[in-house]
Amino acid sequence: MTAESKTLTISPKIGTFERNLTWWVLACIVVGIGLGELSPEAFQSIGNLKIAEVNLVVAALIWLMIIPMLLKVDFYAMRDVLQHGKGIGVTLFINWVVKPFSMALLAWVFIRHLFAGYLPVDQIDSYIAGLILLAAAPCTAMVFVWSNLCGGEPKFTLSQVAINDAIMLFAFAPLVGLLLGLSNISIPWGTLFLSVLLFILVPVFMSQLMRKYLLAKGSQALDVVLKQLHPISLGALLATLVLLFGFQGQQILAQPLIIALLAVPIIIQVYFNSMLAYWLNKKFKVAHCVAGPSALIGASNFFELAVATAIALFGFNSGAALATVVGVLIEVPVMLSVVHIVNRSRHWYEAS
């Protein structure tokens, strides 16, 4: 194991903040709605701070969120891809072929049809777009926690995250464009490519430069910086959520059922894709220590990128932005339940 990969396997348990992420998001809903009602002018002023449809405040907050997590990614880990070829193949199939299209289908079934009568008509397309953005890229940070909780093979997790991030550089924009087009949603291509540049390419470039500089001083230097950046990254996430709910407050107060309705296709998508990945790994006789993280990575969503892109493409007060935040709201309890299923079913998985 390289010094770089050792750095990524230090976190043995889920942190207090991550374990209570759902409660933090609920608190941000209350605070955001309250501040939005008390001082709507302040939120409008922040919303107007933008260049080429990209809000400058959100861009800064997203960088503070994404760059620390990308610092953990070791692209050299892709050298180990052949050690777990079947597991890597299954996860890539789920992440880039099954998950985005299954989410688009679920959004079409639930949002366009089954729940349409309970949702604002003018936001239907926007909700669908948000769900598509949520499923278009796999998670980068929390998967290390999920993998650790299910006894996952560290090298497999490292390799899989590095490959997914490399694919995301090229596939995110075309995939989102294709699925929005199939859903008859107009695509602001210029803003979409600008979002990819600002929220994927630039953070990856900056984080890898920082990583190389810090590792030249030793792996401990990287650990120290990661610990220092961790609370800043979490603070940026909470500030983004407060901002977003400050804009969404009136809509949520008018129709609080919206959040529950948006959660339904997201929850189905997570369980469907994780269990499909788990079953495929069993069929290919992949070791359980690879099948577990494969199932969790297969179902995970890069919600930070989804939130940033939704705000850039459709605005703070859009249904797309709200849909991506619902993904944040349910992330921890749903993924912990998948970890529980993977751990409890180990005997069944290895029986044959």
Side-chain angles (χ1 to χ4, degrees):
M1 185 181 293
T2 65
E4 293 88 337
S5 57
K6 284 180 181 176
T7 304
L8 291 176
T9 59
I10 287 173
S11 176
K13 296 179 180 178
I14 186 170
T16 303
F17 177 87
E18 289 83 358
R19 189 185 304 116
N20 295 292
L21 182 59
T22 299
W23 298 110
W24 282 108
V25 176
L26 289 172
C28 288
I29 293 176
V30 174
V31 173
I33 292 175
L35 292 176
E37 291 294 308
L38 288 172
S39 183
E41 299 83 6
F43 282 83
Q44 291 300 330
S45 299
I46 294 173
N48 292 330
L49 292 173
K50 56 187 179 180
I51 297 176
E53 300 305 318
V54 174
N55 187 276
L56 300 179
V57 177
V58 170
L61 291 173
I62 295 300
W63 280 17
L64 291 175
M65 273 191 277
I66 292 180
I67 289 177
M69 71 176 64
L70 290 174
L71 262 178
K72 302 176 183 177
V73 178
D74 175 17
F75 283 99
Y76 289 105
M78 288 193 289
R79 293 174 300 191
D80 300 325
V81 62
L82 293 180
Q83 293 183 21
H84 305 287
K86 291 180 181 177
I88 294 282
V90 167
T91 317
L92 289 177
F93 173 68
I94 297 296
N95 275 150
W96 298 102
V97 178
V98 178
K99 185 160 72 82
F101 292 91
S102 62
M103 178 59 102
L105 177 62
L106 288 168
W108 180 78
V109 171
F110 284 95
I111 305 302
R112 178 90 59 200
H113 293 282
L114 295 181
F115 296 159
Y118 305 98
L119 297 168
V121 175
D122 61 338
Q123 292 292 331
I124 296 289
D125 283 351
S126 193
Y127 293 139
I128 293 173
L131 294 176
I132 289 173
L133 287 170
L134 194 62
C139 181
T140 289
M142 291 292 282
V143 291
F144 294 112
V145 176
W146 310 137
S147 175
N148 198 288
L149 290 176
C150 69
E153 162 59 48
K155 280 191 175 182
F156 167 77
T157 307
L158 284 167
S159 302
Q160 186 66 67
V161 170
I163 293 172
N164 275 339
D165 284 359
I167 293 175
M168 185 169 60
L169 293 172
F170 306 99
F172 182 75
L175 188 58
V176 168
L178 172 64
L179 292 173
L180 291 181
L182 290 174
S183 303
N184 294 318
I185 299 172
S186 61
I187 308 160
W189 282 103
T191 308
L192 179 58
F193 282 118
L194 184 60
S195 297
V196 172
L197 174 67
L198 286 176
F199 303 133
I200 300 179
L201 290 177
V202 172
V204 166
F205 181 72
M206 291 176 63
S207 62
Q208 292 306 302
L209 277 182
M210 288 176 62
R211 181 182 175 84
K212 186 175 182 180
Y213 171 76
L214 292 168
L215 285 176
K217 297 182 175 181
S219 60
Q220 284 188 336
L222 179 59
D223 290 340
V224 170
V225 171
L226 284 172
K227 288 179 181 177
Q228 290 173 339
L229 290 178
H230 188 60
I232 297 174
S233 180
L234 299 179
L237 171 62
L238 297 182
T240 303
L241 296 180
V242 169
L243 269 179
L244 201 150
F245 284 111
F247 283 92
Q248 297 278 352
Q250 291 185 349
Q251 188 179 164
I252 293 173
L253 289 174
Q255 293 180 283
L257 186 63
I258 292 175
I259 291 180
L261 296 179
L262 290 172
V264 172
I266 300 174
I267 293 172
I268 294 174
Q269 178 257 160
V270 171
Y271 286 123
F272 170 73
N273 287 293
S274 60
M275 292 303 102
L276 178 59
Y278 196 51
W279 178 77
L280 286 174
N281 277 295
K282 181 176 171 61
K283 288 296 178 186
F284 285 112
K285 302 186 185 303
V286 176
H288 187 267
C289 63
V290 170
S294 172
L296 290 155
I297 298 171
S300 65
N301 299 314
F302 195 166
F303 58 75
E304 294 90 347
L305 175 63
V307 171
T309 310
I311 292 173
L313 291 177
F314 301 100
F316 270 113
N317 55 358
S318 65
L322 180 61
T324 56
V325 175
V326 175
V328 187
L329 180 66
I330 66 171
E331 166 88 5
V332 171
V334 173
M335 294 302 283
L336 282 177
S337 71
V338 176
V339 169
H340 181 73
I341 292 171
V342 168
N343 287 336
R344 294 279 296 184
S345 64
R346 180 164 189 157
H347 179 72
W348 164 82
Y349 186 92
E350 296 178 336
S352 58

